[in-house]
Amino acid sequence: MEIQKIVEYAKALKPEDMEWKPLYPNNMPGNGLMGYAAYLELPDGSGGRHYTILLQHKEDERGCMLEGVELYVLFERVRSGSDSFVRAFRTLDEAKARAVLQFQMVYGYAMSYLADDT
């Protein structure tokens, strides 16, 4: 894919363009929701990144889990690599928006320098 088209594609992405799927322990919905996952790739399949948002639940002073999510923790993985911590957020929407920004930083901002060099 032409570098300029990659840059344009990445810069045009919005959080609602990502399809987030729920994650359950052992892939069993009855075990409760543990987070969300999405894969974002370039249209020609030449590059992509996996994103995972794990839910950190509130706990009482004894360490017992309470109702409600305290933080949404974003991780990023490049193809077959290991997950890298990005940041923790107070809302799910903030975490989803940062996943798009992470993708844009690589395929939009960084790649734009390659386009300028050609």
Side-chain angles (χ1 to χ4, degrees):
M1 186 171 198
E2 182 183 318
I3 293 174
Q4 189 57 40
K5 288 186 181 195
I6 292 171
V7 171
E8 290 168 7
Y9 172 78
K11 287 183 176 182
L13 283 174
K14 296 176 183 64
E16 53 271 11
D17 295 332
M18 291 184 76
E19 181 182 342
W20 292 92
K21 296 181 180 180
L23 286 175
Y24 301 102
N26 297 322
N27 213 19
M28 297 173 65
N31 287 343
L33 182 67
M34 68 183 255
Y36 299 92
Y39 179 67
L40 194 53
E41 70 178 342
L42 297 173
D44 67 352
S46 64
R49 294 203 172 332
H50 293 270
Y51 296 96
T52 305
I53 299 172
L54 297 181
L55 310 179
Q56 179 177 317
H57 293 278
K58 296 178 182 180
E59 296 180 353
D60 65 14
E61 61 279 349
R62 298 171 297 172
C64 295
M65 198 177 341
L66 301 172
E67 282 290 318
V69 176
E70 184 173 25
L71 293 171
Y72 298 86
V73 185
L74 178 64
F75 294 89
E76 178 181 46
R77 181 173 14 108
V78 180
R79 300 239 177 195
S80 61
S82 60
D83 287 358
S84 297
F85 169 77
V86 175
R87 191 172 155 206
F89 298 88
R90 295 271 178 214
T91 69
L92 181 59
D93 288 339
E94 289 174 323
K96 288 179 177 180
R98 182 55 186 252
V100 171
L101 182 60
Q102 290 291 120
F103 189 85
Q104 288 173 329
M105 285 191 293
V106 173
Y107 293 107
Y109 180 72
M111 294 283 277
S112 67
Y113 283 100
L114 292 175
D116 291 343
D117 288 344
T118 57

